Amino acid sequence: MSSSMLVEPVVEILGDTFPELQDNYQLIKSIVKGEEEEYYERVSDAYTVFSSYVQKYPNKQMLSEEDVNILKNMSSSLDLASELVAEVAADYGLTIPASTTDTNKELSVHSTKYDNSKLASKFLSRVERACIPSTNDSFKYNLTLSEDGTYNWPSCTGKVLAVGVSDELVEHLSADDQVTECVVITDQSCFYAEAGGQAADRGLIFNENCELEVRDVQSHGQHVIHRCQLLTGALQLGDNVTLEIDQAHRTACTLNHTATHLLGHSLRSILSRNIQQSGSSITSEDLNFSFTHQGEISLADLSRISANVNELISNSISLTYANIEYSKARDLSGLVYLPNHVYPSTVRVVGVGDLDSALKDNKVDFSAELCNGTHVANTSDIRKFVITGYSGQNRAMKRLTCLTGAKAIEADEMMTRLQQLTFQLIDDIKQDKQTDTWNERFQRISQIFADSHKLPKVERETLFEQLKQQREAIRRKNNEDARAHLEQSIVGLVKDQNDSSVVIGQLKFNTVPEVAKILRRLSHPLPVVIYSLPNQTSKQHISLVCYCPVSSKDGEWIKSLSMELNAALVQMKGKNMSNLYKMSLPAGTDIDNLSDIVRNVVHSRKTSVLPEH
């Protein structure tokens, strides 16, 4: 049963309790259907990619991490989930080591954190029963700027309130215990626990006796739970420790989170005020912004959206914050929040611009959202914003993938270099310059396109269309060069055998019609037999062309010759073409003696045969 078919009965059952289901029935159905169609498209594409890969590597039985990466580059569908990769691979009789699928899961944009199920309910229950004091994590918002504008997120000190291993609370933990993972709860923390789409902080917890690597941070109730690996020493319940976050990781996430707010504002300003954010994934690598919108979004729209966000960045707008009652926040006209989300009585409002005026006038003129994430001090600190991906064109649910900061600048610079290479090639093609380099340069540029997924979307699509248009010009040039070379070879062959009663020779050619056109244009007075022998690994058929001038007194020569060739090569299929006769031999046929057979047949016609050219 289609998932979209379940929408109607669900709305009928729950519509009275949740009237918003009835109000948004068509939108919900459209979103569910669109997501379902997208999934099946990804699955279909995944099978197509695997089919091509298996044909290319028929003897493969196990896929290495490198193989999986090759498949991922062949199709973005394989980013859906490692489970899909494993499922499709199994259908083709391929196995994937567990370590590879785990790595793939970590690389997937849909899996940016540890499995939350590892925070077992039994352990969380023990924390609640132990009445452990809450964690003060307000230090996560502390931000100072150095003279050169570099962000600095200060460390803080804290007291160890709880240490957990598996489902148990323990009082002491030593590196000698060889525990792979533990959890630590402190009374104070500067770590950001994953929330609101923003990835958790990473970093260190340490004192003079131990050092722990913090790999993930989750929140439960009023506690911040640091998931760690004990690197050295021993940790004791009640120890005082220093908590220090990964500065680069936090800053990159911060830039991306503020950019998410700017992007949402731009979407509502340019496309529709009715756009609603449906989700986000904010990591140190990029940001993914999901939203609902019924209409199509063109490249021109994406260009305007990107330009608008960059304008907001260049306008150097300061961010402001306010902690206010939720009931008062809801009265703010233009405030962005999730209507069905359960918020605490006091909420944090993040404003891009003067939030005090918005609260005074009870109206948001620019951007204000309920948000507990970390944000830049000023929009100019983001430096650059680019949209690298867009999906969901024909669906209500759409997704944009974007870069900020140094990664956006790098993508922009790579795009500029790619444009320079492409425009130079286009210019040379138009001026018919450096023709011998066209193929190599086209292949090199095409490979850059294939390898570089994180390029500005609009510029990439526009440039790629321009590059595709040149492919036809290059193909025509290649064909012209091939025809000229073939004609030169035929002329040379005929010239060398001008004293013979029949011209015979082996040449390399791709299509019989090209040979026919040249022979007819040359109007050679003697019969000509030309054949092409591909290499042993080629799948092309072996082609043979017999030409006899219409004016030849021996007009029956070509007919009798073709009959004798058919008798000698029973697998050949022949076709009369006026004064031409072409033959093709299926691939896989033993061709070692073909040259001798042709020569013997021609010799039996009492013709003179000279060496091959």
Side-chain angles (χ1 to χ4, degrees), residues 35-36 74 117 119 147 231 234 281-282 285 305 328 352 390 392 411 427 474 481 508 524 531 568 591 610:
E35 290 295 302
E36 185 177 39
M74 291 171 68
S117 63
L119 285 176
E147 292 183 0
L231 302 178
S281 173
I282 302 163
E285 293 297 317
I305 294 165
K328 182 179 179 181
V352 181
Y390 166 54
D427 188 57
I474 293 175
D481 290 345
K508 184 178 180 180
H524 190 63
Y531 58 95
I591 63 173
L610 295 183

Side-chain angles (χ1 to χ4, degrees), residues 15 88 131 133 175 184 356 370 373 409 419 432 434 568:
V88 179
C131 297
V184 176
D356 290 337
L370 297 188
I409 294 172
Q419 286 173 328
D432 202 30
Q434 301 188 51

Side-chain angles (χ1 to χ4, degrees), residues 19-176:
E20 59 270 20
L21 292 177
Q22 295 176 338
D23 296 339
N24 297 287
Y25 170 71
Q26 290 298 335
L27 178 60
I28 295 170
K29 189 172 183 179
S30 175
I31 290 173
V32 172
K33 183 177 181 181
E35 290 295 302
E36 185 177 39
E37 289 175 351
E38 181 181 11
Y39 173 77
Y40 284 120
E41 286 176 11
R42 286 173 175 266
V43 171
S44 176
D45 192 37
Y47 275 97
T48 300
V49 168
F50 264 91
S51 177
S52 300
Y53 188 83
V54 169
Q55 289 179 14
K56 189 174 182 180
Y57 304 102
N59 297 322
K60 277 279 185 180
Q61 294 182 341
M62 179 174 288
L63 297 179
S64 65
E65 183 175 341
E66 182 181 357
D67 295 323
V68 172
N69 288 332
I70 291 174
L71 287 162
K72 285 162 67 69
N73 288 331
M74 291 171 68
S75 171
S76 61
S77 298
L78 299 182
D79 279 337
L80 180 66
S82 59
E83 289 82 0
L84 175 61
V85 179
E87 179 182 333
V88 179
D91 286 348
Y92 280 94
L94 301 170
T95 57
I96 304 178
S99 59
T100 300
T101 54
D102 289 342
T103 301
N104 189 45
K105 186 179 295 185
E106 289 179 9
L107 293 174
S108 170
V109 299
H110 301 284
S111 181
T112 58
K113 60 185 187 301
Y114 282 76
D115 182 4
N116 281 337
S117 63
K118 290 182 181 178
L119 285 176
S121 58
K122 184 183 292 186
F123 170 76
L124 296 177
S125 297
R126 293 184 188 279
V127 170
E128 293 172 356
R129 290 199 301 272
C131 297
I132 297 171
S134 62
T135 304
N136 174 13
D137 64 345
S138 62
F139 300 93
K140 65 188 177 186
Y141 295 127
N142 292 349
L143 169 64
T144 61
L145 274 69
S146 61
E147 292 183 0
D148 63 357
T150 302
Y151 277 28
N152 177 47
W153 307 91
S155 59
C156 75
T157 57
K159 182 179 179 180
V160 177
L161 301 178
V163 179
V165 177
S166 299
D167 295 339
E168 302 297 328
L169 289 172
V170 299
E171 294 187 357
H172 179 270
L173 184 65
S174 171
D176 296 336

Side-chain angles (χ1 to χ4, degrees), residues 79 130 241 314 371 554 565 573:
D79 279 337
V241 292
S314 62
C371 179
D554 190 11
L565 284 171
K573 296 181 180 180

